[in-house]
């Protein structure tokens, strides 16, 4: 009787065994929102989602070395294009973001930026992290040259947030989606979006499996884009 029930369930369209799983890699700036989305997906489908977050560049390089990810979500399409030179996969635009200057002063004008000799300016690594790349664009636009002794370069947006919150940074450039982490402790300015290239997150399906397609469709549902909007991301219809 039990065996017959199992066979019947397996024949039902859309039935997924509870022990099936997918592996997802995503930019660290998405982590808080992705935890909520992944929890909802697992609860709704009974499919396990194993995930890793980090700088988009580091994750892309891990994928080229054989890391078994089914889906990759990058904070720009440069790293997806990098992967596409080695493997063919489609990219789907998902969501946008902005930038903040976080600081401890009453106000800061980037057009007349000055810092003291003992102050520290933190940015994510421009070579590995899209946040770092955009931060460098901002500094270049305003012709701000931070002396090496005053500059702290960290690996990704999550590390930058940690450094800022524990007080290691007098200034830092962060994603606007992280504003809720800073608003009560620091002062901040939104950075003019004309001073850096548009921040866009892209999804790519590396395995093109039934499960990965199911998860991507779930990510694109309006309820889940609202989760992103609630975390400060910009939804473009």
């Amino acid at each position: 009787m039990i065996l017959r029930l199992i066979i019947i369930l397996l024949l039902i369209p859309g039935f997924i065994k509870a022990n099936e799983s997918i592996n997802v890699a995503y930019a660290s700036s998405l982590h808080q929102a992705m935890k909520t989305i992944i929890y909802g997906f697992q609860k709704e489908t009974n499919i396990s989602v194993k995930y890793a977050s980090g700088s988009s560049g580091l994750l892309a390089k891990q994928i080229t070395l054989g890391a078994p990810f089914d889906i990759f979500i990058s904070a720009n399409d440069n790293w997806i294009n990098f992967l596409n030179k080695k493997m063919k996969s489609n990219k789907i635009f998902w969501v946008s973001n902005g930038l903040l200057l976080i600081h401890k002063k009453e106000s800061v004008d980037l057009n007349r930026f000055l810092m003291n000799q003992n102050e520290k300016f933190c940015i994510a690594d421009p070579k590995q992290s899209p946040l770092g790349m955009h931060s460098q664009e901002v500094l270049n636009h305003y012709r701000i040259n931070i002396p090496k002794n005053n500059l702290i370069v960290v690996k990704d947006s999550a590390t930058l947030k940690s450094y800022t919150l524990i007080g290691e940074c007098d200034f830092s450039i962060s994603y606007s989606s992280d504003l809720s982490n800073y608003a009560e402790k620091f002062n901040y300015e939104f950075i003019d979006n004309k001073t850096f290239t548009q921040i866009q997150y892209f999804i790519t399906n590396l395995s093109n499996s039934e499960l990965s397609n199911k998860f991507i469709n779930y990510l694109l549902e309006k309820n889940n884009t609202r989760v992103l909007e609630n975390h400060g991301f910009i939804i473009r219809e």
Side-chain angles (χ1 to χ4, degrees):
M1 184 67 182
I2 294 176
L3 179 59
R4 183 180 298 175
L5 178 60
I6 292 172
I7 292 172
I8 291 171
L9 287 172
L10 290 173
L11 291 175
I12 296 175
F15 177 79
I16 305 293
K17 298 188 292 296
N19 63 349
E20 289 188 316
S21 65
I22 52 175
N23 297 310
V24 180
Y26 55 81
S28 58
S29 51
L30 290 164
H31 187 54
Q32 292 301 318
M34 284 296 291
K35 285 197 301 182
T36 301
I37 292 170
I38 288 171
Y39 174 79
F41 177 78
Q42 292 182 139
K43 186 176 181 180
E44 182 177 310
T45 65
N46 205 29
I47 299 169
S48 174
V49 179
K50 300 174 183 177
Y51 60 85
S53 66
S55 69
S56 297
L58 180 59
L59 292 171
K61 290 175 182 178
Q62 289 175 352
I63 290 166
T64 64
L65 294 173
F69 295 115
D70 299 293
I71 295 166
F72 173 45
I73 308 175
S74 174
N76 64 21
D77 64 348
N78 293 344
W79 289 109
I80 291 180
N81 294 338
F82 168 77
L83 288 179
N84 283 343
K85 292 178 181 178
K86 302 177 181 295
M87 58 185 78
K88 290 185 178 180
S89 60
N90 294 325
K91 62 184 179 184
I92 303 168
F93 168 70
W94 193 27
V95 68
S96 298
N97 212 337
L99 293 180
L100 294 169
L101 176 67
I102 308 298
H103 57 86
K104 300 176 181 178
K105 298 181 178 295
E106 288 187 9
S107 65
V108 174
D109 183 353
L110 286 171
N111 286 296
R112 294 185 289 274
F113 182 78
L114 293 172
M115 59 188 298
N116 297 330
Q117 188 174 1
N118 61 341
E119 290 179 326
K120 300 296 182 182
F121 199 119
C122 299
I123 63 170
D125 186 352
K127 296 179 180 179
Q128 298 288 345
S129 168
L131 173 59
M133 182 191 76
H134 295 301
S135 301
Q136 190 62 60
E137 289 176 335
V138 171
L139 295 177
N140 292 344
H141 176 86
Y142 289 104
R143 298 181 181 179
I144 298 172
N145 183 26
I146 309 298
K148 287 185 178 179
N149 291 339
N150 301 88
L151 183 65
I152 298 176
V153 179
V154 300
K155 65 178 183 176
D156 57 24
S157 63
T159 310
L160 181 97
K161 182 164 58 179
S162 297
Y163 267 63
T164 304
L165 290 174
I166 63 174
E168 291 293 320
C169 314
D170 297 285
F171 307 91
S172 62
I173 296 177
S174 180
Y175 285 123
S176 57
S177 58
D178 285 326
L179 176 58
S180 61
N181 295 284
Y182 304 120
E184 294 183 2
K185 298 180 180 179
F186 301 92
N187 293 324
Y188 60 90
E189 265 81 35
F190 286 96
I191 297 174
D192 187 344
N193 60 16
K194 295 178 182 178
T195 65
F196 55 90
T197 55
Q198 189 174 11
I199 302 171
Q200 296 181 314
Y201 293 75
F202 287 86
I203 304 168
T204 187
N205 192 341
L206 300 171
S207 66
N208 202 31
S209 67
E210 180 185 350
L211 295 185
S212 60
N213 284 321
K214 190 178 184 73
F215 185 67
I216 289 173
N217 288 335
Y218 185 81
L219 293 175
L220 299 174
E221 290 179 4
K222 283 189 176 181
N223 286 343
N224 294 311
T225 55
R226 287 196 191 99
V227 170
L228 293 163
E229 195 169 26
N230 290 339
H231 279 82
F233 292 90
I234 302 166
I235 308 302
R236 303 191 188 280
E237 298 296 339

